Amino acid sequence: MKYLEIGKTGMKVSNLSFGASSLGSVFHETKESEALEAVYAAVEGGMNFIDVSPYYGFYKAETVLGKALLNVPRDKYYLSTKVGRYGRDGVKSWDYSARRAKESVYESMERLHVDRIDLINVHDIEFADLNQVVGETLPALVELREEGVVGHVGITDLQLENLRWVIERVPEGTVESVLNFCHYCLCDDKLADFLDFFEAHGVGVISASPLSMGLLSQRGVPDWHPAPKPLVDACKRAAEHCAAKGYPIEKLAMQYAVSNDRIATTLFSSANPLNVKKNLAFVEEPIDWSLVEEVRAIIGDQQRVSWANS
């Protein structure tokens, strides 16, 4: 396992890390006992960065992760969670106010059974008034950082342009990391265009969803996937091509996602300990770059086709 620093935070994290959204049964129903074992498998396999949010499963992911962390030494992991997106009884909600952001941090710590959060993020800022994020949400989190309640402050979004917009309008050092998803994978490497900007501002980069929420899988995308049909079809053809070569597209996608050392870590999520171990094994093997080029050729003009967040 390779370990890289997130920007200037001092946090040296595994280049493949554990996203805990699956613990909230976000994608399908999960067994809590298996979910706990997935966390243990990740930590035992060398992953030392765990990311979650109160939004995932409407607090369920944090609650289940908190149960797992009771059995994991605190010095074995860095913990990241978020503020801004919430929900209850199947209804999504958003609140980026300073008051709610601070309350949310303390509530998360209680669910997670920890006395500090290593990285606190403003979650999916495209759903917020970006001026509020700049003038209210981030200053509230910086106050918590100054008080030692949280270690570092970041922002997350699907839209890279929003991340840049906010960083350009806050004091240097306010935003220490960004988390972006579905933009450094076999079908979309747009994140690469923004690395110079983030590095120039001392901002660390976290990527997520190396399988592009299931696009790059033999199983195929779930019904709820927002990708347009031509992109779905192109990725299906790419998966079939990889399968014919005896090289699962999931393996190639995981290897590609962690191949760029300018990205500190890539998050993937699973509540299945066997999947965790399988992905750990994937990234320890050398990547077949010729197959990467073949897959890119198959995806063709659907490369970098994206969609709106939901």
Side-chain angles (χ1 to χ4, degrees):
M1 184 71 73
K2 185 182 291 186
Y3 294 85
L4 302 165
E5 185 177 0
I6 300 176
K8 298 179 179 179
T9 64
M11 293 190 292
K12 290 196 74 173
V13 299
S14 48
N15 66 339
L16 183 67
S17 294
F18 188 79
S21 57
S22 291
L23 306 190
S25 302
V26 171
F27 308 109
H28 54 79
E29 273 307 310
T30 54
K31 293 182 180 179
E32 185 172 297
S33 59
E34 280 195 356
L36 299 178
E37 290 298 326
V39 178
Y40 304 147
V43 176
E44 289 166 8
M47 291 191 227
N48 70 342
F49 184 74
I50 302 173
D51 175 77
V52 70
S53 167
Y55 174 67
Y56 301 147
F58 299 161
Y59 310 106
K60 180 179 178 181
E62 283 193 336
T63 301
V64 174
L65 178 59
K67 292 180 181 180
L69 295 182
L70 288 171
N71 299 308
V72 179
R74 187 63 180 90
D75 62 356
K76 291 290 186 183
Y77 62 90
Y78 294 108
L79 182 61
S80 164
T81 192
K82 307 179 182 76
V83 303
R85 290 198 78 174
Y86 310 99
R88 191 174 298 281
D89 299 325
V91 179
K92 300 176 184 179
S93 63
W94 296 262
D95 189 338
Y96 294 88
S97 67
R99 177 193 59 78
R100 185 68 188 108
K102 288 187 172 183
E103 287 176 353
S104 182
V105 170
Y106 286 101
E107 291 169 4
S108 288
M109 288 196 295
E110 186 172 341
R111 283 188 291 269
L112 292 161
H113 305 296
V114 296
D115 59 8
R116 75 178 187 280
I117 301 294
D118 298 299
L119 174 61
I120 190 70
N121 300 278
V122 187
H123 195 178
D124 286 347
I125 59 174
E126 68 189 85
F127 292 105
D129 175 346
L130 294 183
N131 287 297
Q132 183 183 29
V133 171
V134 168
E136 184 176 352
T137 323
L138 282 170
L141 298 182
V142 168
E143 286 181 18
L144 292 181
R145 183 174 68 190
E146 291 171 349
E147 294 166 8
V149 178
V150 302
H152 305 281
V153 173
I155 52 178
T156 88
D157 205 1
L158 173 65
Q159 311 300 337
L160 286 153
E161 292 81 4
N162 289 339
L163 299 174
R164 180 174 58 194
W165 193 95
V166 168
I167 291 167
E168 288 175 335
R169 287 162 176 81
V170 295
E172 201 82 2
T174 297
V175 175
E176 298 173 86
S177 68
V178 293
L179 192 166
N180 179 253
F181 57 102
C182 296
H183 285 310
Y184 202 82
C185 52
L186 290 171
C187 58
D188 190 335
D189 62 352
K190 184 179 178 180
L191 176 56
D193 294 353
F194 289 75
L195 294 178
D196 286 348
F197 172 82
F198 294 138
E199 289 171 359
H201 289 269
V203 174
V205 178
I206 301 165
S207 182
S209 198
L211 305 187
S212 199
M213 304 194 306
L215 271 176
L216 301 167
S217 68
Q218 296 176 87
R219 183 177 58 193
V221 297
D223 292 340
W224 51 260
H225 201 291
K229 190 175 186 302
L231 174 58
V232 173
D233 292 343
C235 289
K236 182 180 179 182
R237 291 194 298 273
E240 291 168 349
H241 177 74
C242 290
K245 293 208 160 193
Y247 200 121
I249 195 168
E250 293 91 343
K251 177 179 178 179
L252 190 70
M254 296 298 295
Q255 293 172 329
Y256 178 80
V258 301
S259 67
N260 190 332
D261 287 352
R262 298 174 74 186
I263 297 169
T265 190
T266 297
L267 294 160
F268 85 97
S269 187
S270 177
N272 183 328
L274 296 179
N275 283 341
V276 172
K277 294 174 183 177
K278 180 175 67 177
N279 285 311
L280 279 165
F282 282 164
V283 300
E284 292 300 320
E285 296 181 34
I287 187 171
D288 183 341
W289 284 107
S290 62
L291 185 55
V292 169
E293 293 307 313
E294 291 168 19
V295 164
R296 286 181 168 278
I298 292 168
I299 293 171
D301 64 3
Q302 294 303 300
Q303 188 72 228
R304 293 196 177 193
V305 169
S306 193
W307 52 81
N309 203 351
S310 60

